[in-house]
Amino acid sequence: MKYYKNGIKSGRLIGKYKNYSIYSEGFISVMDEESRMYEKNPDEINFAYGPSAGGLEESIGFTLQTPGEIIKNVDVNPSYKMRDIKIINDDIYTALLKIERVNGYHAASNSVCFLLAVEDALEIENSDSNNERIIEIELERIRSNLHVIKGLCESAGFSVPEKQVSYIIERVSRIISVSFRHRFFFGANLINMVNGNIDYVLKEIGDIEKEFRLLYNDLLASKIFMDRLQENGIYKDVNSIGPAARAAGLKYDARIDSKSLLYDGYKICTYSSGDVFARFMVRSNEIFSACDIILNTGIKKHYMKNMI
């Protein structure tokens, strides 16, 4: 069993929770400098605005520092409505029921992460279900990236591509439903076991890749779409994570950190400009990469099954 120690800053930053910074091999309590308001003058006020959910993925809170007309600083609190889920004294499957419902759109990732920790504690190594788990997570990645790209099309005023992406998202959700009995993988993951059949995934994933590639090529051919994404929303921060980090040229990816889920031949998709276009490119290429990973993992799974 591996234990991560409090007060140890080890490895790269992978996220923050409340007043903790979480590193790949430890976590440390720190003051969140980004949430600290600038020193204000006597004639200025801190104006609380929110929760606001319009145009945003989650309900968040804003604190505006202003003397009345000019906004001098904005403190964004994405954890405004964060809720803690208590699983102390729960049995494993009662805890799993809660964890996979923390965020239905990412139920596979959350439940697999929890079960990998449980299997680690029980000293179950190289679970027989890890190949199916990789396929689950990559299906979830495809759908999540499509969801963001749909939002980019909407923001850029491209309503037809937005509806086309929505159609592909629905197709992916139906593939998940047929293969794992639920559109959000609820009940699919157990200790050393996955309730699902990947045959239908392997049959349909090639069509998903082709449909999105046609749309992707059409978007790249649109000068208007490119103008609205390039040099817009530039974000480069060494403490960023996920596609935002990879769009800034940082080779940060939880898949290369995992010692349980083995991604053979996987290459990190990166871009360098750090703008909206870079994030669009990273997410699009991760969709293509995920399709390849699913096919290769599925083929490997069938090969291993036939060898037994």
Side-chain angles (χ1 to χ4, degrees):
M1 176 64 179
K2 297 183 288 294
Y3 295 91
Y4 292 149
K5 298 181 179 179
N6 185 10
I8 302 297
K9 181 178 178 180
S10 178
R12 65 177 179 82
L13 180 71
I14 57 175
K16 293 185 178 182
Y17 177 73
K18 293 187 176 178
N19 63 326
Y20 290 98
S21 289
I22 313 298
Y23 295 85
S24 59
E25 297 183 12
F27 62 99
I28 186 169
S29 178
V30 295
M31 286 292 293
D32 187 1
E33 296 293 340
E34 294 180 358
S35 66
R36 185 182 296 166
M37 297 296 289
Y38 293 122
E39 183 179 353
K40 67 184 182 69
N41 296 323
D43 60 339
E44 295 175 351
I45 63 170
N46 289 337
F47 178 76
Y49 176 80
S52 173
L56 304 169
E57 294 300 315
E58 300 288 347
S59 183
I60 68 176
F62 298 96
T63 302
L64 311 178
Q65 183 179 328
T66 173
E69 295 182 359
I70 300 173
I71 296 175
K72 295 187 64 177
N73 186 57
V74 179
D75 178 34
V76 181
N77 180 10
S79 303
Y80 185 86
K81 295 183 70 175
M82 179 178 287
R83 296 175 175 85
D84 292 330
I85 293 181
K86 295 178 174 59
I87 61 173
I88 295 176
N89 297 325
D90 286 344
D91 63 80
I92 291 173
Y93 289 117
T94 299
L96 179 62
L97 190 70
K98 296 178 181 179
I99 287 169
E100 68 181 3
R101 284 161 175 78
V102 169
N103 181 342
Y105 222 65
H106 300 102
S109 303
N110 290 336
S111 60
V112 167
C113 181
F114 173 70
L115 288 171
L116 287 174
V118 170
E119 289 169 358
D120 183 40
L122 297 176
E123 298 184 349
I124 300 174
E125 297 183 359
N126 300 321
S127 170
D128 295 335
S129 302
N130 281 349
N131 285 328
E132 286 97 331
R133 289 169 173 174
I134 288 174
I135 291 173
E136 283 184 66
I137 290 172
E138 294 307 312
L139 278 170
E140 201 168 67
R141 187 185 312 278
I142 290 171
R143 184 168 60 184
S144 295
N145 283 341
L146 285 170
H147 185 71
V148 175
I149 291 170
K150 171 182 174 291
L152 292 180
C153 292
E154 179 184 13
S155 299
F158 278 59
S159 59
V160 174
E162 176 198 351
K163 300 302 185 294
Q164 290 174 314
V165 176
S166 296
Y167 166 75
I168 301 175
I169 291 172
E170 178 60 22
R171 281 208 62 189
V172 174
S173 295
R174 293 185 182 189
I175 290 171
I176 294 170
S177 178
V178 170
S179 302
F180 298 95
R181 305 177 188 177
H182 196 284
R183 291 166 65 92
F184 297 107
F185 297 101
F186 289 175
N189 293 300
L190 304 169
I191 295 177
N192 202 27
M193 179 181 174
V194 171
N195 285 325
N197 188 330
I198 65 172
D199 291 342
Y200 187 67
V201 178
L202 300 179
K203 177 184 175 183
E204 297 292 321
I205 196 64
D207 288 341
I208 297 297
E209 193 273 345
K210 290 177 182 177
E211 287 180 8
F212 178 69
R213 189 173 292 278
L214 287 172
L215 178 58
Y216 168 78
N217 290 336
D218 287 344
L219 289 172
L220 287 182
S222 170
K223 292 183 179 180
I224 297 175
F225 186 76
M226 292 296 98
D227 286 343
R228 292 176 180 176
L229 267 60
Q230 291 174 328
E231 299 182 3
N232 188 8
I234 296 174
Y235 180 78
K236 293 185 177 182
D237 186 338
V238 294
N239 289 327
S240 59
I241 59 175
R246 295 190 281 277
L250 302 172
K251 293 187 176 182
Y252 295 169
D253 196 318
R255 286 172 285 186
I256 63 175
D257 294 334
S258 175
K259 297 178 177 60
S260 301
L261 303 180
L262 304 179
Y263 282 81
D264 295 337
Y266 165 69
K267 294 183 180 179
I268 300 176
C269 303
T270 61
Y271 216 78
S272 60
S273 57
D275 56 5
V276 179
F277 174 70
R279 293 190 284 277
F280 167 76
M281 292 297 292
V282 166
R283 290 184 183 277
S284 296
N285 282 294
E286 286 192 356
I287 291 172
F288 300 133
S289 174
C291 291
D292 289 339
I293 290 170
I294 289 170
L295 284 173
N296 292 335
T297 303
I299 291 171
K300 180 172 68 174
K301 172 66 179 178
H302 283 301
Y303 174 78
M304 293 173 63
K305 181 179 180 180
N306 292 332
M307 289 291 290
I308 296 175

